[in-house]
Amino acid sequence: MPKNKGKGGKNRKRGKNEADDEKRELVFKEDGQEYAQVLRMLGNGRCEAMCIDGTKRLCHIRGKMHKKVWIAAGDIILVGLRDYQDDKADVILKYMPDEARLLKAYGELPENMRLNEGIAAGLDEEDEGAGDFDIEFKDEDIDTI
């Protein structure tokens, strides 16, 4: 039997469910930072995001947020831009849905940005069903087969 040398198991790593994020103050961007919307998750702590300045960047989720703050496609995030790599950024903060609505109300986010949607690929309502085909069969066609 191996000896237990650690301080606990899985439940210790999981920690307490601290709900201190319920009422935090709204963080605005500073110089060297930009707002972005997550397009898709890539795995390995990375995601692809469209920044407000119109640049698509590969974003790295920092270790403090990794496995603690869950980021999904369509979320609004604050990224730190890199001086030496313009196409890459680091995720600093994930905004909750109510915080994202406040940012939009304050004019920090553009009016045409769609919030709180799983697919942020920029699909319009008329384009969503573009690949669907409806084929109707009559009862007589089925009998002749």
Side-chain angles (χ1 to χ4, degrees):
M1 290 290 287
K3 288 188 176 180
N4 294 330
K5 295 183 179 179
K7 302 233 185 316
K10 188 189 336 182
N11 291 331
R12 181 184 166 272
K13 291 177 187 171
R14 202 175 286 163
K16 293 179 183 175
N17 188 9
E18 296 178 7
D20 57 349
D21 294 335
E22 287 183 17
K23 271 299 183 188
R24 61 181 185 196
E25 66 179 67
L26 194 59
V27 178
F28 294 104
K29 72 172 183 175
E30 299 172 2
D31 55 334
Q33 296 177 349
E34 193 65 58
Y35 299 114
Q37 187 169 25
V38 178
L39 296 177
R40 62 187 178 132
M41 295 302 295
L42 300 174
N44 201 20
R46 295 174 302 147
C47 64
E48 188 177 45
M50 178 62 77
C51 293
I52 300 301
D53 58 3
T55 308
K56 191 182 288 188
R57 289 188 170 94
L58 180 72
C59 299
H60 179 263
I61 300 171
R62 56 187 290 203
K64 185 177 180 181
M65 298 175 65
H66 190 67
K67 290 193 176 181
K68 293 176 179 63
V69 178
W70 291 102
I71 297 177
D75 288 341
I76 304 296
I77 56 175
L78 180 67
V79 296
L81 304 178
R82 297 182 179 180
D83 297 333
Y84 50 93
Q85 291 175 317
D86 190 44
D87 60 334
K88 291 187 180 181
D90 301 301
V91 178
I92 296 173
L93 180 74
K94 176 195 166 190
Y95 290 105
M96 299 295 155
D98 56 336
E99 294 173 332
R101 283 191 290 275
L102 281 174
L103 283 175
K104 196 170 183 179
Y106 289 146
E108 294 284 324
L109 298 177
E111 290 297 321
N112 59 0
M113 178 171 277
R114 297 163 67 182
L115 300 178
N116 305 333
E117 297 190 13
I119 300 172
L123 294 175
D124 293 334
E125 283 80 17
E126 62 268 7
D127 293 341
E128 288 180 2
D132 297 336
F133 297 105
D134 292 333
I135 301 173
E136 296 182 16
F137 293 103
K138 296 181 181 176
D139 290 335
E140 299 114 25
D141 295 338
I142 295 173
D143 292 337
T144 58
I145 294 178

